[in-house]
């Protein structure tokens, strides 16, 4: 009888707690973003850029501190090795090793292709913050690859410096990991789709290890990032995000 009463109290406590602290759409997206970004991050990646006519593969090493700082170094192929992209705050520079020149990237280029890929500068240096820049609501429930997901609709805040007219974001319910993101222009046309796949343990947590960005306006064009290794929430010295490191 005592055991039954305790069980009832436990269930009642869970229901009260759940009612008092409802899970907001913003919290779902925040958890998904933090799961794949961490507070800080360092990793090795392979990027394959594919079109109907050619393919090229880059190997990269990258460091990030939230959305504030980033350094991306190309390791291969040899003709591009040593090229780097640095972000500090809202300032971005690109260093080209062969010509030993440093170029400042203006804000108007943030949505331009990064290195001929289907990712933009904004994607690679994490300029946008979805929770900060968008109103978020739950648009429904869905199942992707056999996994239950929340489908969230993100509409830009009036003051936010973003260009997407709408973003649809799917988050897996069992582990709060992103599954798919669709980007629409201001006319409501689907421009590109990000698909997260191959969920596995990396860097001490479960994350999608393959991220594919498909260009919906150019059939056959896509860019696939595969995570080779990654570390989260580590200490990264400030010198990593310096001009000395950029032009090393």
């Amino acid at each position: 009888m005592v055991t039954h009463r305790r069980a009832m109290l436990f269930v009642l406590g869970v229901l009260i707690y759940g009612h008092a602290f409802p899970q907001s759409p913003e919290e779902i997206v925040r958890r998904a973003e933090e799961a794949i970004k961490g507070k800080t991050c360092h990793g090795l990646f392979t990027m394959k850029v594919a079109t109907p006519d050619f393919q090229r593969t880059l190997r990269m090493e990258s460091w990030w501190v939230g959305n504030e700082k980033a350094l991306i170094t190309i390791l291969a192929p040899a003709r591009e090795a040593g090229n780097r992209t640095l972000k500090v705050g809202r300032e971005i520079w690109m260093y080209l090793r062969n010509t030993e020149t440093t170029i400042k990237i203006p804000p108007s280029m943030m949505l331009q292709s990064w290195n001929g890929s289907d990712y933009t500068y904004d994607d690679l240096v994490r300029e946008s913050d979805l929770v900060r820049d968008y109103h978020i609501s739950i648009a429904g429930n869905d199942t992707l690859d056999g996994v239950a997901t929340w489908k969230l609709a993100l509409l830009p805040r009036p003051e936010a410096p973003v260009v997407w007219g709408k973003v649809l974001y799917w988050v897996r319910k069992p582990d709060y990991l992103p599954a798919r993101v669709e980007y629409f222009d201001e006319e409501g046309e689907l421009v590109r789709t990000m698909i997260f796949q191959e969920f596995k343990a990396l860097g001490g947590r479960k994350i999608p290890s393959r991220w594919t960005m498909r260009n919906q306006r150019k059939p056959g064009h896509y860019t696939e990032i595969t995570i080779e290794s990654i570390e989260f929430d580590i200490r990264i010295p400030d010198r990593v995000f310096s001009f000395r490191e950029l032009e090393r």
Side-chain angles (χ1 to χ4, degrees), residues 42-163:
H42 165 239
L44 293 170
F45 308 87
T46 300
M47 173 184 276
K48 181 174 78 174
V49 182
T51 76
D53 303 317
F54 74 92
Q55 288 190 4
R56 58 192 276 261
T57 301
L58 304 174
R59 190 162 183 266
M60 308 183 298
E61 184 173 14
S62 304
W63 296 259
W64 289 279
V65 173
N67 286 45
E68 295 303 312
K69 300 177 183 177
L71 179 69
I72 302 169
T73 299
I74 296 178
L75 304 177
R79 65 179 178 278
E80 297 180 61
N83 292 350
R84 296 182 176 87
T85 302
L86 172 68
K87 176 197 175 188
V88 178
R90 291 186 173 273
E91 307 291 327
I92 299 175
W93 299 268
M94 177 172 277
Y95 174 73
L96 304 176
R97 188 209 58 185
N98 287 342
T99 56
E100 296 185 347
T101 55
T102 299
I103 304 167
K104 186 172 183 179
I105 306 300
S108 60
M109 285 186 61
M110 287 303 295
L111 291 177
Q112 298 295 314
S113 165
W114 183 85
N115 236 326
S117 73
D118 296 290
Y119 286 87
T120 65
Y121 285 94
D122 185 86
D123 294 324
L124 270 293
V125 300
R126 302 175 174 180
E127 175 64 19
S128 295
D129 182 320
L130 296 180
V131 176
R132 179 195 64 197
D133 294 336
Y134 291 85
H135 291 290
I136 305 174
S137 61
I138 295 179
N141 299 292
D142 210 343
T143 300
L144 297 180
D145 294 330
V147 178
T149 65
W150 289 286
K151 179 182 177 182
L152 299 118
L154 288 70
L155 298 176
R157 298 180 187 277
E159 70 282 7
V162 297
V163 298

